[in-house]
């Protein structure tokens, strides 16, 4: 299973862009990169996913490098409610496409 | 609103007792999943179901059982054989069990031992 590496914690000023990096150097050609976030005592919230092209939705943008070995999640205008643990996941194909959550990045958005 | 509903939010189990956690979805999703999360750790897959009347064991199925008699429901029973059941249990669903379809989660059930 492809492993992801994320910094354990990051800070961001409210209103600024939050850029969360993720390394996934062993990713296979047909494996998707997913991003979720989890606020304490709640279920993980789906943010965005992609294969090779950059993706954008109402929550965030996902930038995947051309070699697919790393990606960056961008929250364009971070708010205090974006404070959470963010997980970068390479989705496997066995076991129904289970999600393997690592330790994630704890993002603190400060006023 | 469409979504995934887990109940109860908190549950307490006595020694030797079986307890059942409910998971209902009205998203018309074929695939459903149960994960367990321990403090400070990632999620681990307990069971999953890709279609009604079918389910498969995940990585930590021992001491748990499930059923999938209806598309919208995937209850999880924590049996007395599960010796360390204290954890946060999360149910998820997706349109189908393919890599390009996101899983969406409920708000979880926190199970503790009395």
């Amino acid at each position: 299973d492809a492993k992801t590496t994320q910094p354990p914690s990051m800070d961001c000023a409210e209103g600024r862009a939050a850029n969360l990096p993720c390394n996934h150097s062993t990713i296979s050609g047909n494996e998707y990169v997913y991003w979720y976030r989890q606020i304490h005592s709640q279920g993980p919230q789906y943010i965005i996913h992609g294969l090779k092209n950059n993706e954008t939705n109402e929550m965030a943008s996902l930038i995947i490098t051309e070699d697919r070995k790393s990606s960056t999640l961008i929250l364009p205008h971070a708010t205090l409610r974006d404070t959470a643990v963010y997980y970068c996941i390479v989705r496997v194909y066995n076991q129904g496409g289970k999600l393997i959550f690592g330790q994630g990045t704890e993002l603190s958005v400060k006023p | 609103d469409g979504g995934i509903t887990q109940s109860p939010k908190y549950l307490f189990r006595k020694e030797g007792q079986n307890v059942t956690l409910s998971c209902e979805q009205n998203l018309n999703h074929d695939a459903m999943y149960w994960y367990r999360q321990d403090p400070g750790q990632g999620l681990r897959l307990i069971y999953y179901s890709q279609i009604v009347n079918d389910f498969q064991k995940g990585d930590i199925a021992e001491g748990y059982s499930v059923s999938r008699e209806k598309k919208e429901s995937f209850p999880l029973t924590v049996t007395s054989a599960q010796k360390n059941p204290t954890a946060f249990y999360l149910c998820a669903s997706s349109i189908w069990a393919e890599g390009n379809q996101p899983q969406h989660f409920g708000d979880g059930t926190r199970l503790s031992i009395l």
Side-chain angles (χ1 to χ4, degrees), chain A residues 11-75:
Chain A
D11 290 338
C12 178
E14 189 178 18
R16 303 298 293 268
N19 296 278
L20 290 86
C22 179
N23 287 322
H24 33 78
S25 58
T26 60
I27 192 170
S28 298
N30 60 351
E31 290 177 332
Y32 282 78
V33 178
Y34 277 77
W35 283 83
Y36 283 79
R37 70 183 183 185
Q38 187 174 26
I39 297 170
H40 184 62
S41 295
Q42 295 183 21
Q45 179 187 20
Y46 164 75
I47 301 173
I48 199 167
H49 73 282
L51 184 62
K52 58 179 70 174
N53 298 320
N54 298 339
E55 302 286 345
T56 295
N57 63 20
E58 65 277 5
M59 288 183 68
S61 295
L62 174 61
I63 308 298
I64 303 175
T65 58
E66 193 169 340
D67 63 7
R68 300 207 332 117
K69 293 183 185 300
S70 65
S71 61
T72 301
L73 178 75
I74 302 172
L75 307 178

Side-chain angles (χ1 to χ4, degrees), chain B residues 18 32 49 56 84 93 96 101:
Chain B
N18 293 351
M32 297 187 74
S49 168
Q56 305 294 329
N84 184 23
S93 73
W96 53 76
Q101 295 299 323

